[in-house]
Amino acid sequence: MKLILLGPPGAGKGTQAKRLFDRHHLVQLSTGDMLRAEVAAGTPLGVEAKKLMEAGQLVPDAIVIGMIETRIDQPEAKDGFVLDGFPRTEAQAVALDEMLGRHKARIDGVIELAVDENALVERISGRYACAKCGAGYHDKFQKPKVAGVCDSCGGTDFTRRKDDNAETVKARLVAYRQQTAPILPYYKGKGLLHQVDGMAELDEVTKQIEQVLTKIKH
């Protein structure tokens, strides 16, 4: 099965992609991670991408499609994959379809994790973690049992990611909306778009995704 997972930062795409791998062996293809790996490995593709990024230019669609094509040919992707972070434009969606067509394959479904933007800002901007063991907490939804003391290891130092603040999160949501809006009608027109409630509890989101997969299989 070949899926695309859509949703803004903080919607839980990474967690759900991991669960899709654990349950169905669908490998997560995060184009950002793939690009960084190619650059770090110094592959011809990575060298070309690094030059463009250092010059402040966007990596062309053809390079990203080339990376995806390489990965889907590997044994780890034999059961299928979940694309995260691509496509973001209709042109990319068309190019992806053309590439998959050459492999006698196609996208089976596009799952959008729909979110309430105001609630998502609150969800992300309140996150923090234990500096010692990495256990996650939240100012409102998941406080330590004893204030200032980690439940897991007893540590008293906590950290917040620099980009987990309301202003940055709002800017990322605007960028997501601008980038992703054009491809929703494209996949809806093909009957491939499915929406789940990204604001629900993790297990409930997983349950809704499983229901979508059952529909796709039939």
Side-chain angles (χ1 to χ4, degrees):
M1 191 175 291
K2 297 158 186 68
L3 304 173
I4 295 171
L5 207 52
L6 296 177
K13 296 191 303 298
T15 301
Q16 296 302 331
K18 185 180 183 305
R19 290 185 174 194
L20 282 165
F21 177 75
D22 292 341
R23 287 165 177 258
H24 305 284
H25 307 293
L26 304 179
V27 67
Q28 182 186 11
L29 301 183
S30 165
T31 49
D33 290 347
M34 288 160 62
L35 208 50
R36 285 186 284 275
E38 293 280 347
V39 170
T43 64
L45 230 152
V47 170
E48 191 178 345
K50 188 180 180 186
K51 278 183 200 164
L52 291 164
M53 289 190 289
E54 285 177 347
Q57 297 175 22
L58 290 172
V59 177
D61 294 349
I63 288 183
V64 181
I65 291 283
M67 284 192 312
I68 295 169
E69 190 165 17
T70 300
R71 284 294 298 277
I72 65 172
D73 274 344
Q74 293 175 6
E76 64 179 19
K78 67 178 170 53
D79 292 323
F81 57 79
V82 181
L83 267 172
D84 173 9
F86 190 91
R88 284 184 171 163
T89 65
E90 188 171 331
Q92 290 176 346
V94 171
L96 177 65
D97 283 346
E98 288 173 351
M99 182 273 284
L100 290 173
R102 293 196 296 272
H103 290 259
K104 304 285 190 292
R106 63 182 175 81
I107 293 296
D108 296 301
V110 179
I111 301 173
E112 180 193 9
L113 274 63
V115 299
D116 175 307
E117 293 196 1
N118 291 327
L120 192 67
V121 170
E122 184 179 38
R123 181 199 276 183
I124 298 174
S125 58
R127 296 188 302 198
Y128 63 98
C130 173
K132 188 176 176 183
C133 73
Y137 297 97
H138 193 279
D139 292 328
K140 184 175 178 182
F141 306 119
Q142 193 178 354
K143 298 177 182 178
K145 288 171 187 163
V146 178
V149 181
C150 175
D151 297 345
S152 300
C153 72
T156 54
D157 288 333
F158 296 89
T159 59
R160 291 180 192 269
R161 282 174 44 174
K162 286 180 184 173
D163 56 353
D164 278 356
N165 61 74
E167 292 73 27
T168 304
V169 174
K170 284 174 185 173
R172 284 155 73 194
L173 284 169
V174 169
Y176 170 78
R177 235 185 358 253
Q178 290 171 343
Q179 291 168 342
T180 308
I183 68 169
L184 296 178
Y186 176 79
Y187 286 117
K188 191 172 184 179
K190 288 174 167 280
L192 295 174
L193 186 64
H194 305 268
Q195 196 178 75
V196 301
D197 179 8
M199 300 309 296
E201 291 293 323
L202 276 179
D203 290 345
E204 174 59 25
V205 177
T206 300
K207 183 181 169 187
Q208 289 182 33
I209 289 174
E210 289 297 322
Q211 288 168 348
V212 169
L213 298 194
T214 302
K215 272 189 211 168
I216 292 170
K217 284 173 185 172
H218 290 91

